């Protein structure tokens, strides 16, 4: 039983913990998957949307939005102690979060601000703000290339950047692109196009 409607969820690889974002309540639900019970509801400083675990799963990154631009941030939760350890303000917009495979960098998109924030995941300091010039719909880090792939839905393009936020190239597909995911073996990136009924 949750305090409200869940928006996004993520679990640990050992199937021990489940984290659920509850935007309307500005809370994060933490559940034990072995006993199927909710352990806690953490109160957050904004409306949680996307959730992302660092590769070592020690920290949970929670993208926050809200009517007040000051609510736009990422809150970082210690998954051992179930406590917030940091809050980093972000440009306004809906946020997607991904990490470099070594866990050194966090990449966070800011949809309405048409920008990308790069954060050092060790020091929890912002490294760079990148003006994208388009609304980023989704992003994924491809470790084999050390490249960040970002979806430009309206233009039907996937823009690729290096870890410092410098543009490398772009792949031209079709307008209407949606989210993208990396396959478990990291060989393929799958991109859906709901309007065209395609998956690339």
């Amino acid at each position: 039983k949750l305090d409200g409607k869940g928006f996004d969820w993520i679990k640990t690889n050992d199937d021990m913990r489940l984290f659920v974002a509850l935007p309307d309540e500005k809370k994060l639900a933490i559940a034990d998957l072995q006993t199927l019970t909710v352990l806690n509801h953490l109160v957050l400083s904004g409306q949680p949307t996307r959730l992302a675990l660092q590769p070592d799963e020690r920290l949970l990154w929670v993208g926050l939005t809200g009517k007040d631009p000051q609510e736009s941030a990422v809150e970082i939760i210690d998954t051992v102690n179930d406590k917030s350890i940091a809050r980093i303000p972000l440009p306004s917009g809906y946020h997607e979060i991904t990490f470099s495979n070594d866990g050194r960098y966090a990449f966070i998109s800011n949809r309405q601000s048409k920008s990308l924030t790069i954060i050092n995941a060790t020091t929890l300091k912002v490294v760079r703000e990148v003006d994208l010039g388009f609304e980023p719909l989704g992003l994924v880090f491809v470790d084999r290339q050390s490249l960040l792939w970002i979806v430009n839905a309206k233009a039907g393009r996937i823009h690729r950047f290096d870890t410092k936020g410098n543009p490398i190239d772009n792949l031209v597909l079709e307008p209407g692109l949606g989210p993208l995911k990396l396959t478990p073996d990291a060989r393929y990136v799958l991109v859906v196009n709901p309007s065209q009924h395609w998956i690339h």
Side-chain angles (χ1 to χ4, degrees):
K1 182 72 175 177
L2 301 174
D3 281 359
K5 293 180 181 179
F7 181 85
D8 191 24
W9 61 270
I10 193 167
K11 69 174 185 64
T12 54
N13 286 328
D14 60 8
D15 292 330
M16 295 295 288
R17 288 284 185 96
L18 175 73
F19 304 94
V20 185
L22 309 175
D24 293 341
E25 287 68 36
K26 296 185 179 180
K27 290 182 179 179
L28 174 74
I30 303 173
D32 184 323
L33 287 177
Q34 301 305 300
T35 61
L36 299 179
T37 56
V38 175
L39 303 173
N40 199 359
H41 281 91
L42 296 184
V43 177
L44 303 171
S45 58
Q47 294 180 316
T49 50
R50 286 292 177 230
L51 306 178
L53 279 166
Q54 275 186 211
D56 63 3
E57 299 191 343
R58 176 61 196 264
L59 298 178
L60 174 73
W61 293 55
V62 183
L64 303 177
T65 61
K67 294 180 180 178
D68 187 337
Q70 293 182 343
E71 290 182 294
S72 187
V74 61
E75 194 149 351
I76 301 165
I77 309 296
D78 184 326
T79 60
V80 174
N81 301 311
D82 294 340
K83 291 183 179 180
S84 174
I85 62 166
R87 182 184 187 277
I88 302 172
L90 294 172
S92 63
Y94 184 86
H95 311 294
E96 300 281 351
I97 306 166
T98 193
F99 303 94
S100 56
N101 281 28
D102 60 8
R104 185 178 177 186
Y105 294 106
F107 305 94
I108 305 177
S109 61
N110 313 299
R111 189 175 299 174
Q112 281 69 32
S113 298
K114 300 181 180 180
S115 66
L116 171 75
T117 302
I118 303 175
I119 297 174
N120 185 314
T122 302
T123 63
L124 303 182
K125 301 294 184 184
V126 174
V127 175
R128 185 180 177 189
E129 297 281 0
V130 181
D131 182 10
L132 298 174
F134 61 88
E135 291 189 356
L137 189 86
L139 69 169
V140 69
F141 187 81
V142 180
D143 194 56
R144 288 185 178 184
Q145 304 173 330
S146 290
L147 293 180
L148 179 69
W149 294 35
I150 305 179
V151 171
N152 179 348
K154 292 180 180 178
R157 294 173 182 261
I158 298 176
H159 298 260
R160 300 197 290 188
F161 296 80
D162 64 18
T163 55
K164 295 181 180 179
N166 300 312
I168 301 299
D169 59 15
N170 64 81
L171 308 175
V172 181
L173 297 174
E174 293 180 43
L177 295 178
L180 73 173
K181 290 286 184 181
L182 192 65
T183 57
D185 63 3
R187 184 176 179 185
Y188 297 102
V189 173
L190 305 178
V191 189
V192 295
N193 190 323
S195 62
Q196 301 291 335
H197 306 289
W198 275 98
I199 184 165
H200 299 277

